Amino acid sequence: LYDRWGYIDRIGNEVISCKYDDSGIFSEGLARVLLNGKWGYIDRIGNEVIAFKYSDVCDFSEGLAAVELNGKWGYIDPTGKTVVPIKYDDADFFHDGKSSVKLDGKWGYINKDGEEVIAYKNYITSSFSEGLAMILKDGKWGYINKDGKEVISRQYVNAYSFSDGFASVEKDGGWGVIN
């Protein structure tokens, strides 16, 4: 029992039995769960909605979830249908209609149809938040807009996503906030 995961309601009643090797939160009505070394998704009453066949998965975001199969990543819808081909080296959550993906060693952004919307480049990327995404190259963080234009230059040794119009950043040995 102690090595297994399940779900309880707000008053502590077990509503989905503790039979999973690992579990995630419910997101858009589904939770990712690990059973016998494979990930799948269940609904709020414990029904298997998406088969346990993935080596790794993410929570649903904007109607899609990143899934890994045979070392490659793609996206499925809540029925389990592959909607963006499983061909990427890495993948992130969708935010603001875009997701960062890694293909052939470079990061770029795609839309929900899998179309490239920001070209692949040699830097590490993050999800969009408030219209900006963090990028990392040569040990420095900066920010790009939804068109892929660098709008805050790479100058920070550490940085966080924007929230309520502000982002925490580290530069010259100290932390500050930018807007």
Side-chain angles (χ1 to χ4, degrees):
L1 177 65
Y2 296 109
D3 292 337
R4 298 288 175 204
W5 293 85
Y7 295 87
I8 60 173
D9 63 18
R10 291 179 189 217
I11 56 174
N13 297 315
E14 185 177 289
V15 293
I16 298 175
S17 64
C18 295
K19 66 179 185 178
Y20 300 104
D21 302 319
D22 199 353
S23 66
I25 62 168
F26 277 91
S27 176
E28 300 185 12
L30 299 176
R32 57 187 172 89
V33 289
L34 180 68
L35 185 63
N36 299 322
K38 296 292 182 183
W39 287 93
Y41 293 85
I42 59 172
D43 64 17
R44 291 187 181 275
I45 56 174
N47 295 319
E48 179 185 316
V49 177
I50 298 173
F52 293 88
K53 66 179 185 177
Y54 299 103
S55 51
D56 202 358
V57 297
C58 294
D59 295 326
F60 275 86
S61 175
E62 296 188 9
L64 298 178
V67 295
E68 182 185 19
L69 189 63
N70 301 320
K72 294 293 181 180
W73 287 84
Y75 294 86
I76 60 172
D77 70 13
T79 69
K81 178 183 172 194
T82 301
V83 294
V84 175
I86 298 175
K87 67 178 188 177
Y88 300 98
D89 303 324
D90 206 345
D92 201 357
F93 298 93
F94 272 92
H95 292 282
D96 297 335
K98 294 178 178 62
S99 179
S100 61
V101 291
K102 185 178 183 183
L103 185 63
D104 299 326
K106 296 181 180 180
W107 286 90
Y109 290 85
I110 60 171
N111 64 19
K112 292 180 183 180
D113 295 321
E115 301 165 331
E116 178 185 307
V117 293
I118 297 177
Y120 296 97
K121 299 197 177 182
N122 286 319
Y123 51 58
I124 296 173
T125 60
S126 73
S127 297
F128 277 89
S129 177
E130 299 186 12
L132 298 175
M134 299 180 306
I135 58 169
L136 173 67
K137 185 173 181 180
D138 301 325
K140 298 288 183 178
W141 289 95
Y143 297 83
I144 60 172
N145 66 15
K146 290 183 180 187
D147 297 321
K149 181 181 178 199
E150 191 171 318
V151 293
I152 300 174
S153 65
R154 288 178 288 108
Q155 57 186 302
Y156 305 106
V157 295
N158 218 333
Y160 287 95
S161 295
F162 274 83
S163 178
D164 292 328
F166 297 94
S168 297
V169 294
E170 181 184 8
K171 182 178 176 182
D172 300 328
W175 281 89
V177 177
I178 60 173
N179 63 1

